């Protein structure tokens, strides 16, 4: 019984010592900036932002016109009419403030929606490179605050090649 436990223990230790990990790093932001599809995403984001800006501009112009109209005709109006128009102008002002505060959130959501397919492409390329080269982990260099990364474990160039992106001057 003791010999079976000893053999099992030795087998477990040898398995653990054999199973080593290979860790690589990647600059995914840099790769995303090189992808030709990123230019399309940028252009679509800009177009969406311009659309939001034009809607905001229309709301602002409508608000200013109503305020100016109210100022011009205020003396001719009765109290009930003044209260009604002031309530309408206040509602427009609130609407403009909400629209303005939601503008950045809407832009970020649109950008994320447009970038999702690019992230999927990048992720597939990273998976392919990791499997081809025996990596067990690939870490991104942005946001993780690494103090030191040995460049021989950087797979950025491999992923760029996997994606078929024309090689530009790689920063490093």
């Amino acid at each position: 019984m003791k010999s079976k436990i000893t053999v099992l223990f030795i087998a477990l230790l040898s398995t653990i010592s054999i199973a080593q990990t290979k860790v690589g790093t990647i600059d995914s932001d840099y790769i995303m900036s090189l992808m030709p599809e990123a230019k399309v995403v940028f252009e679509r984001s800009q177009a969406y932002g311009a659309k939001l800006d034009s809607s905001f501009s229309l709301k602002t112009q409508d608000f200013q016109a109503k305020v100016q109209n109210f100022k011009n005709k205020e003396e001719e109006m009765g109290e009930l009419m003044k209260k009604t128009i002031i309530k309408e102008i206040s509602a427009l002002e609130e609407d403009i403030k909400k629209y303005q505060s939601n503008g950045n959130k809407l832009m970020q959501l649109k950008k994320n929606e447009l970038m999702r397919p690019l992230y999927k492409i990048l992720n597939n390329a990273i998976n392919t490179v990791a499997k081809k080269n025996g990596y067990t982990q690939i870490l991104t260099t942005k946001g993780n605050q690494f103090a030191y990364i040995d460049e021989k474990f950087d797979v950025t160039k491999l992923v760029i090649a996997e994606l078929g992106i024309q090689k530009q001057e790689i920063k490093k």
Side-chain angles (χ1 to χ4, degrees), residues 23-26 137-150:
V23 179
T25 61
I26 189 167
Q137 299 172 33
I138 303 288
L139 306 172
T140 60
T141 57
K142 301 292 183 202
N144 290 331
Q145 304 301 321
F146 292 112
Y148 172 76
I149 299 171
D150 190 339

Side-chain angles (χ1 to χ4, degrees), residues 38-77:
K39 184 186 281 187
V40 174
V41 167
F42 178 75
E43 289 168 357
R44 287 185 181 170
S45 294
Q46 293 297 321
Y48 184 71
K51 182 179 172 185
L52 288 177
D53 285 346
S54 68
S55 297
F56 180 74
S57 188
L58 290 174
K59 287 180 181 288
T60 305
Q61 289 172 1
D62 183 40
F63 173 75
Q64 289 172 344
K66 289 192 183 212
V67 168
Q68 189 60 44
N69 189 31
F70 175 73
K71 285 180 181 179
N72 292 341
K73 296 181 180 178
E74 182 178 9
E75 292 179 12
E76 302 168 7
M77 295 179 190

Side-chain angles (χ1 to χ4, degrees), residues 18-167:
I18 292 172
Q20 293 186 2
T21 62
K22 185 175 178 183
V23 179
T25 61
I26 189 167
D27 188 346
S28 56
D29 291 341
Y30 178 67
I31 294 172
M32 293 294 279
S33 72
L34 294 178
M35 293 175 77
E37 299 92 339
K39 184 186 281 187
V40 174
V41 167
F42 178 75
E43 289 168 357
R44 287 185 181 170
S45 294
Q46 293 297 321
Y48 184 71
K51 182 179 172 185
L52 288 177
D53 285 346
S54 68
S55 297
F56 180 74
S57 188
L58 290 174
K59 287 180 181 288
T60 305
Q61 289 172 1
D62 183 40
F63 173 75
Q64 289 172 344
K66 289 192 183 212
V67 168
Q68 189 60 44
N69 189 31
F70 175 73
K71 285 180 181 179
N72 292 341
K73 296 181 180 178
E74 182 178 9
E75 292 179 12
E76 302 168 7
M77 295 179 190
E79 281 304 311
L80 183 59
M81 183 65 128
K82 283 181 185 180
K83 286 181 182 180
T84 304
I85 293 177
I86 288 173
K87 190 181 255 188
E88 185 181 318
I89 289 173
S90 295
L92 276 174
E93 185 176 23
E94 244 347 272
D95 186 41
I96 288 172
K97 285 179 183 177
K98 285 179 185 177
Y99 193 86
Q100 189 174 23
S101 69
N102 290 334
N104 287 338
K105 292 175 189 173
L106 290 170
M107 279 297 295
Q108 189 60 46
L109 287 172
K110 186 65 170 180
K111 184 177 179 185
N112 289 344
E113 174 189 329
L114 294 171
M115 292 295 286
R116 200 170 295 123
L118 298 183
Y119 288 126
K120 187 174 182 175
I121 292 168
L122 178 61
N123 190 46
N124 290 340
I126 291 170
N127 288 339
T128 302
V129 166
K131 287 175 184 171
K132 279 183 184 175
N133 296 287
Y135 287 97
T136 56
Q137 299 172 33
I138 303 288
L139 306 172
T140 60
T141 57
K142 301 292 183 202
N144 290 331
Q145 304 301 321
F146 292 112
Y148 172 76
I149 299 171
D150 190 339
E151 287 191 25
K152 70 181 178 183
F153 296 109
D154 189 351
V155 298
T156 302
K157 294 175 185 176
L158 296 173
V159 173
I160 289 172
E162 179 67 30
L163 289 169
I165 297 173
Q166 291 299 317
K167 203 171 190 179

